[in-house]
Every structure is written in structure tokens, then in C-alpha cells.
Amino acid sequence: MPRRASRSTSRTARSPGPNNRKADRALALVEAARDRGVDLTVEQYPYTAASTMLSVVLPPWVHADGPDGTIEHLTDEQSRDRIHADVERWRIDGWENFGALTGWENLVVSNVESEANAAPEGKSIAEIADERGVRATDAVCDLLAEEELGVSIVAHMLEEGDVREILSNERVCVATDGLFGGKPHPRVYGTYPRILGTYVREENLLTLEEAVRKMTSLPARAMGLDRKGLVRQGMDADLVVFDPATVRSTATFDDPRRHPKGIHHVLVDGEFVVRDGETTGETPGRAIRAGVE
């Protein structure tokens, strides 16, 4: 028999998460490490939502026997009842209970592997559970089992004040941390133009020069990429030509696959991949290892 969706975790979503409003403590740890001689930097994307795989909401014991064992637990009624109790009652000490911390209405499916389950993309776990007439944990188990764990989510769980405080720190690189496919997090299409449009031009949180450093030379140095991140002779010709007066992201959570405005040209290794605002179809980029070019 289907079991009605539980709403007990939604109350927790109204309270700050355990790490919200603690950006100053995190940054202090970075500085403490640097004081001990550790060349430490961190990276950030400029949004108040995270993105990861839906399987992170499962208790640790569900993952213990690998993917095949996880799927067996997802289809076993006793295991599903145990999963539900662990999540709803917070029964495991030290576990980041992602579903309960965030609230099921704040976890939105962004991508599934099969066309058969395309309908849940863009819907929250709470909405999916309501539509199926089951508990939220059962909706999670069903969807993960149907897709053999291939489900990614966007989690609305962060605070803008923390984003701004972290971004303004000189040790912080900018990165997308993006997961592609389906209805992705807007950071995939919008991270860098959002930095330039929102936090540089509109809010003056960063200077243009500092923002560019955070997106180019600082991460290149952190990753040991000696031929990246600077414009000078002998470097790889990876270049972006943009208008600082108009550059901005147009990607949203509802419509994330929207290209930015104000970026005229993009060159990878000296070859145009975007020219006059239009993609060229060229793909000269290649995967590289840190410290190996």
C-alpha cells in the first residue's frame, strides 16, 4: 500500500542549517592553516543552492556494500522503513542528514538518466512524493532504484550573506562545480558572468581586477597549471573578451540553460569557440591533470 508523504522535516527548512552564518569560522581555519605554512586556497560558486547526487540523502549504512547493495536496500521494505526512521528521527549521530536538514521541498531533481523519468526534473522531492502518494523517503528510494542511482539534485540550503563573505576573501577561487544534464544548477551556465555582473558591477563587492584574478590566475596556481591563468608570452591562449558594462548571467533555477550576455569572444588554445557571441562548433579543449600540461 502506498504510504502518505511525511511533512515532519519541512519544519527544519525554516531554521538555518548547521553551517549557515559560520563563514567567518571557516575562513579563520583557512588563515590558521596558512599561518602554519600550508598553501591553502578554497573555491566557491556564487549561489545559495548546492548541487549533488540524490543518493547523499541516504544514511551511510545504505552505501556500505557498494552501488548494487544500495539498490537492494532501496527495494527492500524493511530497509526502506529503516531509512525513513533514520531520516525522520535523526537517529544517526554525526551524519549530515541532508534531507531533514534541507527540507524535502528544497531538494529539486535536476537530472535523471532515463527518458522514462524525465517528468520529475525540475520538481522537488516533496512534490514528487505528493504526486505519487508516498512518503518523501519512499519517493527518493523509488526514483533512485528506477534510475540505478543516476539522479542529481539542486539543494536550496545556503545564505547570501555567507556567499558574499566567502567571495570577498582573497584566498577564494571561483569555480562552477557544475553537474550537466537535464535541468542543471544555473551555476553551469552562469557562474562567471554572475560574478562580473552582480558582484562586480552591481554590488561593488569585488573590483574587476580581483574578480578576474579569482577566476583565472588564482585557481590556475592552486591547481599547478603553469601555462594557464595569465595573458603573457608562452602561456596557453585561453581568452575571454567581454563587456564589463553589460556582462551578466541570464541562467535561472527555472531556466538554467540560458547563455550569458556581454561575452563576445572565447578562445581555447588560440582557437575561437565563441565568436561575436555565437558558438563556432569548435572543441579544441582537452582534459588536463593538475601539474601536467
Side-chain angles (χ1 to χ4, degrees):
M1 292 291 292
R3 289 166 290 192
R4 297 304 302 173
S6 169
R7 293 293 188 178
S8 63
T9 56
S10 64
R11 290 191 296 273
T12 64
R14 299 191 184 100
S15 301
N19 294 318
N20 288 354
R21 304 175 188 171
K22 296 179 182 177
D24 57 337
R25 301 188 195 182
L27 295 172
L29 292 174
V30 174
E31 293 305 323
R34 293 186 66 87
D35 289 343
R36 297 195 303 272
V38 180
D39 186 13
L40 180 63
T41 58
V42 296
E43 59 91 8
Q44 179 196 32
Y45 49 87
Y47 293 90
T48 57
S51 183
T52 186
M53 304 305 292
L54 178 59
S55 57
V56 301
V57 308
L58 301 173
W61 59 266
V62 183
H63 301 280
D65 297 321
D68 290 339
T70 298
I71 293 173
E72 287 184 17
H73 284 305
L74 296 174
T75 56
D76 177 75
E77 286 299 317
Q78 289 186 335
S79 292
R80 287 161 72 109
D81 285 340
R82 182 180 171 190
I83 291 168
H84 178 78
D86 285 345
V87 172
E88 296 291 329
R89 301 177 193 172
W90 297 67
R91 298 197 308 186
I92 302 176
D93 292 336
W95 168 47
E96 187 179 24
N97 189 351
F98 213 78
L101 283 170
T102 306
W104 299 116
E105 70 277 13
N106 295 318
L107 295 181
V108 178
V109 173
S110 57
N111 186 53
V112 296
E113 292 294 322
S114 73
E115 288 293 327
N117 266 327
E121 288 182 353
K123 296 179 181 179
S124 71
I125 296 299
E127 290 174 314
I128 296 168
D130 282 344
E131 289 177 359
R132 297 188 177 194
V134 299
R135 303 178 299 190
T137 50
D138 288 321
V140 167
C141 290
D142 289 339
L143 192 56
L144 286 172
E146 291 161 8
E147 294 298 311
E148 298 182 336
L149 308 182
V151 184
S152 57
I153 55 171
V154 171
H156 297 272
M157 58 186 296
L158 309 174
E159 292 197 359
E160 179 64 20
D162 290 335
V163 172
R164 292 169 59 86
E165 183 171 357
I166 293 169
L167 183 59
S168 62
N169 187 276
E170 64 178 326
R171 315 294 186 193
V172 175
C173 308
V174 174
T176 67
D177 197 20
L179 295 173
F180 290 84
K183 195 172 186 178
H185 193 299
R187 68 192 186 187
V188 174
Y189 284 72
T191 288
Y192 301 106
R194 178 172 170 80
I195 293 288
L196 296 168
T198 299
Y199 295 104
V200 173
R201 185 178 64 248
E202 296 176 5
E203 299 190 9
N204 294 314
L205 183 67
L206 302 170
T207 65
L208 178 60
E209 293 82 3
E210 176 66 359
V212 170
R213 183 186 75 90
K214 286 175 172 289
M215 295 187 286
T216 56
S217 62
L218 182 60
R221 185 184 67 77
M223 296 299 296
L225 304 177
D226 295 334
R227 293 175 55 188
K228 306 284 185 185
L230 294 172
V231 180
R232 70 183 182 196
Q233 188 172 359
M235 306 293 282
D236 291 341
D238 300 328
L239 303 168
V240 177
V241 180
F242 65 90
D243 182 353
T246 62
V247 63
R248 64 182 178 89
S249 170
T250 65
T252 66
F253 287 101
D254 290 332
D255 191 5
R257 291 178 171 274
R258 298 178 64 183
H259 291 121
K261 302 293 185 181
I263 296 180
H264 303 305
H265 311 300
V266 179
L267 294 92
V268 175
D269 200 22
E271 190 170 344
F272 280 99
V273 295
V274 174
R275 189 164 194 163
D276 296 322
E278 300 292 335
T279 57
T280 65
E282 300 300 324
T283 56
R286 59 187 176 87
I288 55 178
R289 290 177 176 269
V292 179
E293 296 183 73

